[in-house]
C-alpha cells in the first residue's frame, strides 16, 4: 500500500492504480490518485493517444502544483506516471479503472484485455455513466472484484463519486472503494446498479420538468432557473445545467431512462426540437440560453 503525498502511509489506496482510457475523465481520475500518493499507469488505444494522455496529465500535475494542491514537486509527480498502449504493465496494479468511451462493445473488449493481465487479487471498476454494471460483470471472469466508480466532470472540481454496487460486487470491494474515494479527498455515495444510478436519474427528471414548464409557458427560462437557485439554493438552475451538460447528452439519457424506467422520463418535444436544430447548449453556442464565444 502506498505512502501518500504527505509522507504517511495510506493503506486505503493501492500502490499502483491503472486507468484504461486517458481522455477527459481518465486523465482526471489518474490525476486524483497521483495526488493521493499512488503511481498511475494510463492505458491508451495507441502510442499517439498515450502521448496525448501524457500531455494532459502533466498539465494537470503542473496546475495542481501552481494552485498549491500538492506539496510534491513536478519531477516527483512525473516519476510516478506512465503511459502505455499495451495492457501488460497493468499486471503490476492493485486497481484499474476503465474510462474509455461510452460504448458497451468497446468497454467489454478493453475490460477483457485488462482482466486477462490483472493479478487475481486486484480490483476492477468502470467509470460508465449509464451502462449496467451487472451486464458488464456478466462478461468478466471475476465479477465479484468489479463495481462502478462514477466520477464527475471536471474531476478535480467535483467532490462526488458514485460507487455502483453490482449484484455480484463483493462487500469488501464496496468498503475498499469507500476508502479509495475518501483517500482522494472526495465523498462516496453507494448506489445499487440501476438505470441512471442516483445522479443522472434525479438530475434528468428535474431538467425534463423544467423544459416542460418552459414549453407550457409557465415562466421564462431565466425565471424557472431562478426559482431553483434562489428558492432552493441550487448552484445553477436545471436549464443552465442542461446547457452545460449538452442537450444531446441529456436527451440520450432521457431516452435510455424512458426505455428502462418508463414514461415519466419521456423527453419533451422542445428538447428534441432543439437537438434536431443543433442547439446543443454551451458547446454549440445556444441551447436554452445563448453562449457567446
Ligand atoms: N465526460 C463526462 O462528463 C463524463 C462524466 C462521467 C462519466 N463519463 C464516462 O467516462 C467515460 C469516458 O468519457 P470521457 O468523456 O473521458 O471520454 P473521452 O473520449 O474524453 O476519453 C476516452 C479515451 O479512451 C481512449 N480509448 C478509446 N479506445 C480505447 C481502447 N481500446 N483502449 C484504451 N483507451 C481507449 C480514447 O483514446 C480517449 O482518450 C465514458 O464511459 C463516459 O460515459 C464521462
Amino acid at each position: 500500500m502506498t505512502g501518500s503525498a504527505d509522507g504517511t502511509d495510506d493503506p486505503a489506496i493501492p500502490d499502483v492504480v491503472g486507468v484504461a482510457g486517458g481522455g477527459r475523465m481518465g486523465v482526471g481520475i489518474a490525476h486524483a490518485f497521483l495526488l493521493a500518493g499512488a503511481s498511475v499507469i494510463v492505458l491508451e488505444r495507441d502510442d499517439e493517444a498515450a502521448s496525448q494522455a501524457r500531455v494532459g496529465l502533466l498539465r494537470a500535475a503542473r496546475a495542481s502544483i501552481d494552485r498549491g494542491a500538492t506539496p510534491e514537486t513536478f519531477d516527483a509527480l512525473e516519476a510516478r506516471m506512465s503511459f502505455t498502449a499495451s495492457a501488460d504493465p497493468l499486471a503490476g496494479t492493485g486497481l484499474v479503472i476503465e474510462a474509455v468511451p461510452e460504448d458497451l462493445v468497446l468497454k467489454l473488449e478493453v475490460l477483457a484485455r485488462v482482466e486477462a493481465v490483472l493479478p487475481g487479487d486486484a480490483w476492477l471498476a468502470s467509470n460508465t455513466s449509464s451502462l449496467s454494471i451487472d451486464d458488464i460483470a456478466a462478461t468478466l471472469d471475476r465479477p465479484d472484484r468489479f463495481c462502478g466508480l462514477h466520477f464527475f466532470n471536471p474531476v478535480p472540481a467535483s467532490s462526488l463519486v458514485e460507487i455502483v454496487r453490482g449484484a455480484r460486487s463483493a462487500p469488501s470491494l464496496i468498503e475498499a472503494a469507500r476508502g479509495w474515494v475518501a483517500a482522494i479527498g472526495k465523498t462516496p455515495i453507494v448506489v445499487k446498479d440501476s438505470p441512471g444510478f442516483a445522479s443522472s436519474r434525479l438530475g434528468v427528471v428535474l431538467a425534463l420538468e423544467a423544459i416542460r414548464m418552459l414549453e407550457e409557458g409557465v415562466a421564462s427560462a431565466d425565471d424557472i432557473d431562478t426559482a431553483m437557485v434562489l428558492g432552493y439554493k441550487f448552484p445553477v438552475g436545471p436549464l443552465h445545467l442542461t446547457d452545460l451538460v449538452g442537450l444531446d447528452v441529456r436527451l440520450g439519457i432521457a431516452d435510455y431512462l424512458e426505455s428502462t424506467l418508463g414514461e415519466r422520463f419521456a423527453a419533451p418535444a422542445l428538447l428534441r426540437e432543439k437537438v434536431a436544430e443543433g442547439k446543443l447548449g454551451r458547446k454549440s453556442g445556444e441551447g436554452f440560453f445563448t453562449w457567446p464565444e
Side-chain angles (χ1 to χ4, degrees):
M1 295 296 152
T2 195
S4 68
D6 63 5
T8 57
D9 277 343
D10 189 338
I13 314 177
D15 290 333
V16 188
V17 175
V19 177
R24 177 178 278 268
M25 296 305 292
V27 163
I29 294 166
H31 174 249
F33 281 94
L34 183 70
L35 256 52
S39 294
V40 296
I41 303 176
V42 179
L43 171 69
E44 259 293 350
R45 64 178 170 207
D46 55 32
D47 289 340
E48 196 191 324
S51 307
Q52 276 172 16
R54 180 184 170 77
V55 169
L57 189 52
L58 286 172
R59 190 182 301 131
R62 172 65 67 199
S64 45
I65 290 168
D66 290 349
R67 65 170 186 272
T70 173
E72 292 199 89
T73 63
F74 185 74
D75 289 349
L77 293 176
E78 187 177 15
R80 292 208 310 277
M81 53 175 93
S82 57
F83 302 84
T84 174
S86 149
D88 295 344
L90 297 176
T93 58
L95 162 68
V96 173
I97 301 168
E98 168 279 310
V100 300
E102 193 78 343
D103 169 335
L104 181 62
V105 174
L106 174 65
K107 282 191 188 288
L108 296 185
E109 185 256 312
V110 170
L111 285 163
R113 269 178 73 206
V114 172
E115 194 184 35
V117 300
L118 267 196
D121 61 353
W123 304 106
L124 192 54
S126 173
N127 184 48
T128 178
S129 29
S130 64
L131 300 171
S132 161
I133 292 302
D134 288 337
D135 287 354
I136 296 174
T139 70
L140 297 175
D141 290 336
R142 298 188 291 273
D144 55 315
R145 305 199 70 82
F146 175 72
C147 70
L149 276 184
H150 183 210
F151 288 77
F152 288 74
N153 178 25
V155 179
S158 307
S159 44
L160 177 66
V161 179
E162 283 184 298
I163 299 171
V164 186
R165 192 184 66 224
R168 297 166 76 181
S169 305
S172 58
L173 165 57
I174 303 307
E175 278 322 295
R178 285 184 193 273
W180 304 329
V181 173
I184 61 171
K186 302 195 186 294
T187 301
I189 61 169
V190 178
V191 187
K192 185 180 83 149
D193 184 33
S194 54
F197 310 142
S199 55
S200 298
R201 183 165 166 174
L202 279 173
V204 164
V205 85
L206 187 71
L208 295 181
E209 200 55 32
I211 298 166
R212 275 190 278 269
M213 287 165 66
L214 187 64
E215 222 170 37
E216 291 167 19
V218 173
S220 68
D222 259 329
D223 285 355
I224 290 169
D225 272 7
T226 301
M228 299 315 289
V229 172
L230 297 185
Y232 288 87
K233 297 193 167 34
F234 278 44
V236 292
L239 298 170
H240 180 110
L241 186 60
T242 301
D243 271 10
L244 296 183
V245 171
L247 275 64
D248 52 336
V249 174
R250 284 226 140 152
L251 177 59
I253 298 172
D255 284 345
Y256 172 68
L257 292 180
E258 184 189 8
S259 72
T260 49
L261 294 175
E263 237 176 61
R264 65 190 190 278
F265 287 95
L270 179 61
L271 179 59
R272 284 193 197 285
E273 281 161 27
K274 284 194 180 279
V275 171
E277 289 165 10
K279 295 177 179 166
L280 307 181
R282 182 170 64 175
K283 63 188 168 190
S284 71
E286 186 180 343
F288 294 105
F289 302 95
T290 50
W291 297 85
E293 282 289 313

